[in-house]
Amino acid sequence: MTIKKSPFERFDIDPRGGPVAITERLRELAEETTDADERAAIRAAWEELTLHPLRRLTAALDSFPESRAAMGPPPRRAPAREPDAPLDLPDLIARPRARAALPPPTDDERALLGPPAPTDPLGRR
């Protein structure tokens, strides 16, 4: 089984270019070739990439391999808890990484939350 190349890869077209850039590149290629089959393939690619936006997007997403760095191993998960088990304090506390990702509360949000609980030894939420 052979893997079909994306029209972007086959004709060396930048997937970030719109229909005008695609048309210009395929017109250049059509003018350079004398092979009728190649011109038909160029014409089919032009129709695919300029007349069908969803197909253009799909071809663009399938064009090039992933270039971003690997995300690393998945995060460790907490042990599964029984569905009917009561929630305990660790179940309710935001994990440090999750807390760091949250934006700080606004003044309005702080006013809604009220003062820290008197039992909190650090005076934090």
Side-chain angles (χ1 to χ4, degrees):
M1 181 175 121
T2 60
I3 297 175
K4 182 181 172 188
K5 269 190 157 181
S6 158
F8 288 107
E9 291 175 324
R10 181 174 178 197
F11 299 110
D12 193 30
I13 302 170
D14 184 357
R16 296 171 292 185
V20 173
I22 293 167
T23 301
E24 288 175 9
R25 174 68 179 142
L26 293 176
R27 181 180 293 131
E28 290 171 3
L29 294 173
E31 290 172 353
E32 292 173 1
T33 188
T34 56
D35 183 20
D37 290 337
E38 184 65 16
R39 280 194 180 185
I42 292 170
R43 172 78 180 181
W46 177 80
E47 289 177 358
E48 179 92 8
L49 298 177
T50 60
L51 301 179
H52 305 284
L54 181 58
R55 291 182 191 166
R56 179 174 60 242
L57 176 63
T58 303
L61 293 174
D62 291 340
S63 290
F64 300 104
E66 184 64 50
S67 61
R68 294 176 288 184
M71 292 175 58
R76 290 183 295 161
R77 295 184 181 256
R81 190 176 61 81
E82 292 297 322
D84 297 332
L87 292 176
D88 198 9
L89 186 60
D91 298 323
L92 303 173
I93 296 175
R95 303 290 189 259
R97 288 179 57 194
R99 191 179 317 124
L102 297 174
T106 63
D107 291 336
D108 293 336
E109 291 169 337
R110 282 192 194 100
L112 288 174
L113 293 174
T119 58
D120 184 0
L122 301 176
R124 298 181 296 169
R125 294 221 172 269

